[in-house]
Every structure is written in structure tokens, then in C-alpha cells.
Amino acid sequence: MVMNYIWDLLIQAEEEGFLTKDIYFHLAKIYSPYMELSPQLLNSQAIEQHVEVNPYYRYFDIFKDLFHPDHTTDEAFRDALLDIILHFLAEIDRMQGLNKKEYYIRFMLRDIEANVFGKLVRDKIKSFSKKEQEIIALNMLRLYQTGEALYLIKDTLKNIFRNCFIYVKSEENDELLLYIHQKKTIENINKVQLIQEIFLPIGFQMEVYWQYHFGIIDVEETMKLDRIALY
């Protein structure tokens, strides 16, 4: 899908790890009257930090006099003003497109950043992508609404770690066995610790197995030599 609007570009930039303040809008030297963004390659999906824009596509009344051909001074100031105003207009676009749930997600992420849920959660949320942070915030809201912590820890883990398996072992103590088919990295450890902190029900323990599954009798895939974790 071709990006055509400034808000569309900023959303994709955030999903790829850019900060909106690192994206700079410039008046395009050559542009189509039918498009807001003016990339050199029309179908390019790559995010660039310096973006050429046709500001007259939707905002003619705002910018019609800013770059009048007779104005030859203060070019740097006018470029900076264009960038600031377009960022402001893009945020208005995005706010207008939000529904009630998306506002609640933003409020929840803001509270996490403000240390409302503790230092561990505030620090480790940084290990998640923007989309993953929204998954965490949404399930936190669902936790307040339903109290279904056990279901929500499973749902969160499966959305964050696509190739994971969760087993509930309740013979003596309430215990979850979690297998994640990924390497044990600092980033992945941080993610699991945050999910445990928020969603693990009181009284439960969780044992985590990375990369290699523990052996299960009669399940051939888990009984391969050199690929079994001991339980």
C-alpha cells in the first residue's frame, strides 16, 4: 500500500522504531497535485527521515503565502515553520482517527511511563515494539474489566511470542510451564519478566524454557536427542 498522507508516514515510522521528532518535512521541489507525499520512488515503503511534501494538497489556505515566489528571504525559518506545522497537523489527523479504546491504550502507556505500575514495568516496557506495547496496554485494560489473569497471561504471551506453548501444572502448586521457541536474550527476558509482573496470578509460579522443549512421553517432537530441556 502506498503511503499518501503525513499521518500515515508517521505511524509507519513509529512502528519501525523512529521517533516522530526525527522525521523532517520539506517542501517538495517537484510534486503531484494529487498526492501529499512526494517520494522519489512512488511505490517505496522505506522510511526516510527527510520527507518531501506537497503542503497544498490539503492545506492550501494555511501554506499558500509561506513559499510565495516573491519571498526570497528567511528560507531556513520558513522551512522550519513548515516542518513544525505539518507535525502539528499530523497529530490532529491521528487524534481524529482514534476511537475510545485507542485513547485508553494511550492513557495506560502514559501511566506506565509515569511509573504508576512500578519501576520494573516502566523500564522493561522499552524492550517491546510500539505494537507490542499496545498489546500489553490493551490486555491490562481487559484485566481491570474481567479479572481473568490466567487467560490474559496466556493471550499476552501468545501475541508477543508467536511460537510459544503454555502448560498449566496444578498437582501440588499452581504452576505454569512456558516454552518459547526463541533464544534467551536480554530483550526476551525483559519481556517475560514484565508479563509475569502484570499478569501472573497471585500464588502461581512460572517456569520458562527457551529454544529447546522439555521432553513429553509419546510426543516425538519433544524427545529428540540434544534438543531436550530437563524438567
Side-chain angles (χ1 to χ4, degrees):
M1 183 176 65
V2 178
M3 292 178 293
N4 188 30
Y5 298 102
I6 51 178
W7 59 264
D8 192 14
L9 180 137
L10 290 182
I11 289 174
Q12 184 166 329
E14 286 184 350
E15 289 177 351
E16 295 189 15
F18 290 91
L19 298 176
T20 56
K21 67 182 181 65
D22 294 330
I23 305 296
Y24 300 94
F25 295 117
H26 305 277
L27 176 68
K29 297 180 175 62
I30 301 174
Y31 54 81
S32 166
Y34 307 107
M35 296 183 65
E36 189 160 88
L37 301 180
S38 300
Q40 292 184 349
L41 299 175
L42 184 61
N43 294 316
S44 174
Q45 294 296 304
I47 298 298
E48 297 181 359
Q49 289 184 261
H50 292 271
V51 182
E52 292 195 342
V53 178
N54 169 15
Y56 310 117
Y57 178 68
R58 287 191 295 157
Y59 306 115
F60 176 80
D61 288 340
I62 297 175
F63 296 108
K64 61 183 179 181
D65 296 321
L66 187 61
F67 293 99
H68 194 280
D70 292 338
H71 296 167
T72 58
T73 60
D74 300 321
E75 185 175 347
F77 170 76
R78 287 183 284 128
D79 283 341
L81 185 60
L82 173 75
D83 178 58
I84 292 169
I85 294 174
L86 284 177
H87 273 279
F88 178 71
L89 292 170
E91 283 303 311
I92 292 176
D93 278 342
R94 295 175 66 178
M95 289 295 183
Q96 288 177 335
L98 293 176
N99 58 32
K100 186 177 180 180
K101 180 181 74 175
E102 290 167 327
Y103 272 108
Y104 282 152
I105 288 172
R106 286 195 171 201
F107 293 151
M108 185 66 75
L109 291 173
R110 185 184 64 186
D111 285 348
I112 290 173
E113 184 64 28
N115 209 24
V116 172
F117 299 97
K119 185 175 184 298
L120 184 147
V121 175
R122 184 196 65 189
D123 292 345
K124 295 187 183 299
I125 195 70
K126 298 170 185 175
S127 295
F128 294 81
S129 68
K130 182 177 182 294
K131 187 171 291 186
E132 289 173 339
Q133 289 180 11
E134 291 174 354
I135 291 171
I136 297 293
L138 177 59
N139 275 356
M140 290 174 72
L141 291 169
R142 295 169 69 190
L143 181 62
Y144 280 116
Q145 293 166 348
T146 68
E148 294 290 339
L150 192 58
Y151 168 80
L152 287 169
I153 192 172
K154 293 178 183 179
D155 183 76
T156 306
L157 286 166
K158 286 184 175 295
N159 277 289
I160 301 300
F161 300 103
R162 294 295 180 180
N163 297 316
C164 77
F165 295 92
I166 305 157
Y167 306 89
V168 180
K169 179 178 179 292
S170 304
E171 294 176 357
E172 298 176 356
N173 299 317
D174 290 327
E175 185 178 11
L176 294 180
L177 304 180
L178 171 62
Y179 163 65
I180 299 175
H181 187 51
Q182 294 183 23
K183 291 184 178 180
K184 185 178 180 181
T185 64
I186 295 297
E187 182 179 86
N188 284 337
I189 291 171
N190 286 340
K191 290 180 179 182
V192 171
Q193 288 177 344
L194 180 142
I195 293 170
Q196 283 183 277
E197 179 74 10
I198 295 173
F199 298 106
L200 189 65
I202 294 174
F204 270 78
Q205 295 181 333
M206 188 164 75
E207 189 77 25
V208 185
Y209 296 86
W210 300 92
Q211 198 166 1
Y212 298 129
H213 202 292
F214 49 85
I216 300 177
I217 297 174
D218 294 331
V219 181
E220 185 178 346
E221 288 298 315
T222 70
M223 300 294 285
K224 295 181 178 180
L225 292 176
D226 299 326
R227 291 182 175 273
I228 301 176
L230 296 178
Y231 170 64

